[in-house]
Amino acid sequence: MSPPIAPVGWSRWLVPPAALSIHLSIGQAYAWSVFKPPLEDALGLSGTQSALPFQLGIVMLGLSAAFGGTLVERRGPRWAMTVALVCFSSGFLLSALGAATQQFWLIVLGYGFVGGIGLGIGYISPVSTLIKWFPDRPGMATGIAIMGFGGGALIASPWSAQMLESFGSDSKGIALAFLVHGLSYAVFMLLGVLLVRVPRPRTEEQRADGAPASAAGPQVSARQALRTPQFWLLWVVLCMNVTAGIGILEKAAPMITDFFADTSTPVSVTAAAGFVALLSAANMAGRIGWSSTSDVIGRRNIYRVYLGAGTLMYALIALVGDSSKPLFVLCALVVLSFYGGGFATIPAYLKDLFGTYQVGAIHGRLLTAWSTAGVLGPLIVNWIADRQEEAGKDGADLYGTSLLIMMALLVVGFVANELVRPVHPSHHLAAVTAQKGAPDVRQQQSESA
């Protein structure tokens, strides 16, 4: 499948809606917590078990983004979006079969493994194309897509809750909900597949103007970046920030229900789904708001806010979260805005340190931190909650230890951010060229995505 080239006069403003159709669809992953309680009741699962499809999906997202970047660039956005459509929708269809037959392993395989590949390829599919269409405003263009991924649950959460209410929350009702999801998202993502175009080739003069050699500041290859402490410090920073956010996000609906179960104002299933939607809105808003703020105050300072203020938010939830529903919701919204902002800010942080040369490939490799966090966050919250429940505890007591661990992880991330320094000139492209010769650098460029 060759990349479709836009005809003369094609409006570039048709490309962001194509990207949104993909990212709004795969952003459904952030609404997984709506399915957790019904699955646990229908299939007799623990909280840790019901998190497995989501955890595996995030792992596959990071791995697919890290290792599929080269193929996506070679085959183009339409091919990548088609792969994302097939995998993501097929994942739901396999999950529907698993729910109908009460075979949980099929749900893990479908939603987690197959659907997770769709998440990763879909996540990176429109980014480089948007940058090519909007060289004057690349941050705005890619921000639209990344915002869409963060806001997917804003649609999916109430929609999923309504389907479970209409179809029933038993295994058959869950299966039907999965089936509707798979078919609906296939149609919606198909709009993006049909609409996306790549710009017409530029002239040699235009290509010369945009050559990497003319870029200001440090320029570091993807291979060389892996040899720097800065890459691994940012890996820790991203992993800790994502772990803290995803721990709440994956458990959001049951967590708020547990926190206020023994109060005079318990949280209904519908209200819990609305809470998940609010978190999605905060996630989406943080991707635009906080990343824009980083242009003013700097990347290191904004991550000081993410990690430092995030620790404070978790402390407030742990100490007084169960005594005030507005305070609990506000703190969770702030944490999720930091979570989304961290994703949107990290490409600019990488650009500041490593330059624009192969920054997309460096970003793809850094997303393995997301895969790790996708396991850590839900595992910490769910495993500890299960152990506390076995010990006879309930309500907010199920999460006290988890919140303390999240605070400690954010402190680790804060320290890692403080240790970030400019990349040593010996890692810059010019220095590597001088040391190894131009042919080796060209080889690095061909091998890196």
Side-chain angles (χ1 to χ4, degrees), residues 6-17 133-134 195 197:
V8 176
W10 179 267
S11 173
R12 64 179 182 171
W13 292 103
L14 294 174
V15 181
W133 274 110
F134 293 88
L195 193 60
R197 298 287 189 278

Side-chain angles (χ1 to χ4, degrees), residues 170-239:
D170 57 1
S171 59
K172 292 183 179 180
I174 296 170
L176 190 53
F178 282 152
L179 178 63
V180 173
H181 274 76
L183 297 177
S184 299
Y185 282 130
V187 173
F188 191 59
M189 294 171 77
L190 183 61
L191 297 177
V193 172
L194 298 176
L195 193 60
V196 72
R197 298 287 189 278
V198 296
R200 300 179 67 82
R202 296 181 295 174
T203 65
E204 291 298 323
E205 291 76 12
Q206 289 174 315
R207 283 199 291 271
D209 289 342
S214 67
Q219 300 298 322
V220 183
S221 70
R223 174 184 291 184
Q224 200 66 25
L226 295 177
R227 301 173 181 175
T228 67
Q230 287 81 2
F231 176 88
W232 296 106
L233 286 170
L234 288 189
W235 192 97
V236 172
V237 168
L238 182 63
C239 185

Side-chain angles (χ1 to χ4, degrees), residues 19-28 145 147-149 151-153 155-156 185 188 284:
L20 274 174
S21 74
I22 302 297
H23 273 240
L24 282 172
S25 298
I26 63 177
Q28 183 280 335
M147 179 185 69
F149 187 85
I155 299 170
Y185 282 130
F188 191 59
M284 180 172 58

Side-chain angles (χ1 to χ4, degrees), residues 17 38 40 88 288 319 378 393 414:
E40 291 168 16
F88 190 64
I288 296 296
L319 293 174
K393 296 183 179 180
F414 189 93

Side-chain angles (χ1 to χ4, degrees), residues 313-335:
M313 294 299 103
Y314 266 116
L316 287 174
I317 293 175
L319 293 174
V320 294
D322 60 340
S323 63
S324 172
K325 194 179 298 181
L327 179 63
F328 177 93
V329 172
L330 177 62
C331 290
L333 291 177
V334 172
V335 168

